Amino acid sequence: MQDKMKKLYEKIEIDAAYSHAMTLLSWDLETQAAKESVEGISKTLSILSKLSYDNYVNEDFKNLLYSIEVDKLDEVEKKIVEKLKKAVFEKMEKIPADEYSEYVKLIAEASSVWERAKNENNYEIFKPYLKKLIDTNKRFITYRGYKEHPYDVLLDDNETELTVSYADTFFKLLKEELGPFILKIKGKKEKELKDIKAKLSKYKFDIEIQKKLNKELAQILGFDFSKGVLAESEHPFTTEFNNKDVRFTTHYYENDVLSGIYSTVHETGHAIYEQQIDDKYNDTHVLSGGTTMGIHEAQSRFYENVIGKHEKFAILIKDLLQKYFGVNDISEKEYILLINEYKTQFIRIEADELTYPMHVLVRYEIEKYIFEDLKREIDLDDLSKMWDDMYEKYLGIRPKDYVNGILQDSHWSGGLFGYFPSYALGSAYASQMYEAMSKKFDVAQMIEQRNFAKINEFLKEYIHKYGSFKTPKELIKIFSGEDFNPQYYINYLKDKFTKIYLSEE
Ligand code: ZN
């Protein structure tokens, strides 16, 4: 037995080395590498990814993995074996190899066609690809099998144990409670916001100075620069090799200092999660990162929204902008409104905290419709119409073109169905985290005192330290003592935005 685990660890080490090299190359590509280097780096990346695939996907490894007697393992080893089986064999095995490689090719083509379609506002050229992507995914679901709802297969790929019946409860609440509330706030405090923005726009936000500000901010929040790096990239992201090497990026715009600040706060949430994972998982590689996309987004959105847009955090923003840029004519109260600006607009990634989940709701409803009946032919014009109808219903606006409608996100062109719900779930988990944390100590006071160590301690103890060892459902139980309860999210949003937008003083 010992012997087999030793062999397994040797294979894991090789995989870890490949993934280490690939992570660093990708990081370099996104942050520093010269434009002309893309071809060379991409070639190396594709060779490494082939080597790493071959390391695991072969009969010898399969025999080794399935011959290990799991009953004799400790709980960490058990989890490693279980995760490897699921990731390497259970999903891939059921899909015929030639169909899968066809699909990989389809994705590459679809992604570039989507880019053109988006630039030209041309849905027609993307439609045949979208149809093929949908048909292929339906076929894969048939191969892989499902228990209740076909869409469950795709949801679980992205958020372990997520099902339609679980997600439906959540989205129903958004529809019934948040929808009408959002329409009630529409148009409020527009003039105040315009005036504050006009004041801020008088200042110049030099990018070199922004870099210093953002570094200090990440430090204040608790990112440990002896175990990580902050760089710059077009689309901010976080990547890690282990808890001693966590890297994240932000972006800077000369005319929008808050965009950089909130990207930094969001990514710092991801980065602190990775830094606080227990050392004991480093060598397992399989368990050494954050557990799922939903839980990861919960950490980043907790920092970005719950903490970063908290009324007490406005004091910190005010102080930093005064210190670095001399901004001195915007009050604390004005900052609270500014960082919680409510925007009804079409683009998901530009949405504010309140309307964001409604953008996700639209995508969830459409994906559910696509996959609920595997035999039904999908009319692609119907999908676009569904999209527009729902924006009108939930946000009170109707897209006039495809770029602002169904063509805006890259996900489907990359074959990512079932991915969107975890964005909104992350926000809902974050509210439940706040609720649970508030039972232990006065969170507002900690933010005011800039005592983020206290907040990080809680996150580490109840969530971060576990790495990928626990599922989202288990973690929610651990930090809150109860199951997922989306009502906390609804209450949190309504209370907060009522206070800012609907109370007259
Ligand atoms: Zn994120």
Side-chain angles (χ1 to χ4, degrees):
M1 200 59 206
Q2 281 291 347
D3 234 30
K4 283 186 179 165
M5 275 315 284
K6 209 176 139 236
K7 270 194 196 144
L8 184 68
Y9 268 112
E10 280 166 17
K11 296 293 268 185
I12 289 174
E13 242 176 20
I14 294 171
D15 181 68
Y18 287 136
S19 116
H20 194 182
M22 288 191 283
T23 306
L24 290 183
L25 282 167
S26 308
W27 165 265
D28 190 53
L29 197 59
E30 296 287 333
T31 54
Q32 283 230 296
K35 226 177 168 184
E36 298 280 316
S37 71
V38 176
E39 205 181 315
I41 293 179
S42 303
K43 194 173 169 202
T44 307
L45 276 172
S46 91
I47 292 171
L48 286 173
S49 93
K50 170 88 174 66
L51 287 170
S52 112
Y53 180 88
D54 292 344
N55 177 54
Y56 276 160
V57 187
N58 60 67
E59 279 305 305
D60 286 350
F61 181 65
K62 192 177 176 191
N63 291 336
L64 171 69
L65 195 59
Y66 282 85
S67 67
I68 293 171
E69 292 169 66
V70 279
D71 301 345
K72 296 182 181 157
L73 302 178
D74 68 32
E75 52 172 11
V76 170
E77 293 172 332
K78 241 184 225 165
K79 189 65 91 180
I80 293 171
V81 171
E82 181 193 308
K83 289 232 174 208
L84 280 173
K85 282 181 180 169
K86 190 172 178 189
V88 185
F89 294 106
E90 283 168 19
K91 179 178 172 185
M92 297 289 287
E93 274 261 290
K94 295 188 173 128
I95 298 168
D98 54 333
E99 285 192 40
Y100 191 75
S101 63
E102 271 301 302
Y103 182 57
V104 174
K105 248 169 58 194
L106 171 65
I107 286 174
E109 277 171 34
S111 300
S112 79
V113 174
W114 168 77
E115 243 184 86
R116 194 151 58 89
K118 192 182 167 197
N119 284 335
E120 296 168 5
N121 186 38
N122 186 345
Y123 187 41
E124 285 307 312
I125 58 167
F126 184 55
K127 265 161 50 178
Y129 290 88
L130 184 55
K131 180 166 175 16
K132 270 193 216 162
L133 288 162
I134 289 172
D135 290 345
T136 313
N137 272 284
K138 283 182 166 180
R139 218 167 50 241
F140 288 178
I141 293 173
T142 317
Y143 295 148
R144 293 171 66 191
Y146 60 91
K147 283 195 195 96
E148 278 172 30
H149 198 294
Y151 185 36
D152 288 349
V153 176
L154 304 175
L155 289 175
D156 179 78
D157 280 348
N158 294 289
E159 186 69 0
T160 318
E161 297 177 337
L162 182 63
T163 59
V164 167
S165 67
Y166 191 79
D168 266 351
T169 323
F170 171 55
F171 285 109
K172 189 165 170 269
L173 212 55
L174 289 182
K175 232 186 307 193
E176 287 170 3
E177 290 208 35
L178 211 53
F181 179 73
I182 284 174
L183 297 179
K184 214 160 85 183
I185 286 194
K186 204 178 163 200
K188 293 270 191 305
K189 306 240 168 168
E190 256 170 15
K191 183 172 180 316
E192 286 93 328
L193 273 162
K194 212 174 134 210
D195 292 347
I196 303 166
K197 283 201 257 184
K199 275 200 262 182
L200 195 63
S201 70
K202 288 186 320 223
Y203 294 89
K204 262 188 71 76
F205 299 102
D206 181 85
I207 287 184
E208 288 312 310
I209 302 175
Q210 285 195 46
K211 287 183 186 171
K212 292 192 185 117
L213 183 157
N214 280 275
K215 186 165 183 201
E216 183 184 343
L217 180 55
Q219 228 149 10
I220 292 172
L221 298 179
F223 182 77
D224 181 350
F225 278 94
S226 70
K227 295 171 183 163
V229 177
L230 166 60
E232 206 183 324
S233 69
E234 169 83 22
H235 299 286
F237 68 96
T238 301
T239 186
E240 102 295 340
F241 178 63
N242 58 36
N243 66 3
K244 310 248 179 334
D245 189 355
V246 179
R247 299 165 185 232
F248 73 107
T249 68
T250 188
H251 59 204
Y252 306 105
Y253 301 116
E254 219 156 52
N255 59 359
D256 191 353
V257 68
L258 288 175
S259 173
I261 286 178
Y262 280 95
S263 287
T264 300
V265 178
H266 179 97
E267 297 303 329
T268 303
H270 283 303
I272 289 176
Y273 182 13
E274 292 293 339
Q275 285 193 328
Q276 295 209 109
I277 291 172
D278 199 306
D279 284 341
K280 75 175 178 191
Y281 296 122
N282 277 343
D283 291 335
T284 72
H285 191 53
V286 183
L287 306 174
S288 66
T291 188
T292 58
M293 154 83 189
I295 292 290
H296 236 301
E297 280 300 304
Q299 310 316 302
S300 55
R301 282 158 203 270
F302 179 76
Y303 258 110
E304 180 189 353
N305 295 323
V306 180
I307 301 291
K309 292 174 183 169
H310 193 284
E311 55 181 26
K312 298 295 180 196
F313 200 87
I315 311 169
L316 176 58
I317 300 278
K318 179 171 181 278
D319 288 352
L320 287 172
L321 289 185
Q322 172 138 27
K323 174 179 166 186
Y324 285 94
F325 296 104
V327 180
N328 57 13
D329 53 353
I330 297 176
S331 71
E332 201 180 302
K333 207 169 157 242
E334 287 175 316
Y335 272 113
I336 296 173
L337 181 61
L338 182 64
I339 60 183
N340 287 294
E341 184 187 3
Y342 161 88
K343 296 172 274 189
T344 8
Q345 48 81 44
F346 300 108
I347 306 296
R348 177 185 57 86
I349 56 169
E350 286 164 18
D352 58 80
E353 185 184 9
L354 180 67
T355 54
Y356 188 87
M358 305 315 270
H359 292 265
V360 177
L361 168 68
V362 170
R363 288 144 181 85
Y364 172 74
E365 296 275 321
I366 292 179
E367 290 188 346
K368 197 174 90 174
Y369 168 78
I370 292 175
F371 294 106
E372 74 189 349
D373 179 356
L374 295 178
K375 294 206 175 71
R376 179 170 54 207
E377 270 298 305
I378 300 294
D379 180 330
L380 295 166
D381 290 318
D382 281 352
L383 291 192
S384 171
K385 187 172 174 298
M386 270 175 80
W387 183 292
D388 298 349
D389 288 347
M390 281 193 267
Y391 267 81
E392 190 158 1
K393 186 168 165 200
Y394 301 133
L395 291 167
I397 48 175
R398 189 173 187 91
K400 289 193 176 55
D401 52 25
Y402 297 116
V403 184
N404 284 294
I406 198 162
L407 279 181
Q408 68 177 269
D409 297 302
S410 66
H411 300 60
W412 291 345
S413 72
L416 290 175
F417 295 94
Y419 192 92
F420 288 114
S422 41
Y423 289 130
L425 277 174
S427 297
Y429 296 163
S431 299
Q432 197 161 340
M433 280 156 57
Y434 183 68
E435 187 71 26
M437 199 179 271
S438 301
K439 285 184 185 142
K440 302 266 185 209
F441 54 84
D442 185 341
V443 186
Q445 193 184 47
M446 291 305 126
I447 300 173
E448 192 170 10
Q449 295 171 358
R450 295 174 200 181
N451 185 353
F452 297 100
K454 180 89 181 160
I455 290 168
N456 291 332
E457 227 171 77
F458 177 98
L459 298 173
K460 181 177 183 177
E461 183 56 29
Y462 296 101
I463 302 166
H464 296 178
K465 72 172 185 190
Y466 293 106
S468 292
F469 187 69
K470 303 273 183 198
T471 63
K473 283 184 184 170
E474 288 169 339
L475 285 175
I476 292 167
K477 198 94 187 186
I478 291 170
F479 73 69
S480 70
E482 43 182 326
D483 292 329
F484 175 48
N485 181 355
Q487 191 65 50
Y488 290 124
Y489 181 44
I490 306 290
N491 295 348
Y492 157 81
L493 286 174
K494 278 189 171 175
D495 289 351
K496 179 176 178 178
F497 283 86
T498 298
K499 195 170 168 197
I500 299 173
Y501 282 89
L502 298 176
S503 62
E504 296 301 331
E505 286 145 280

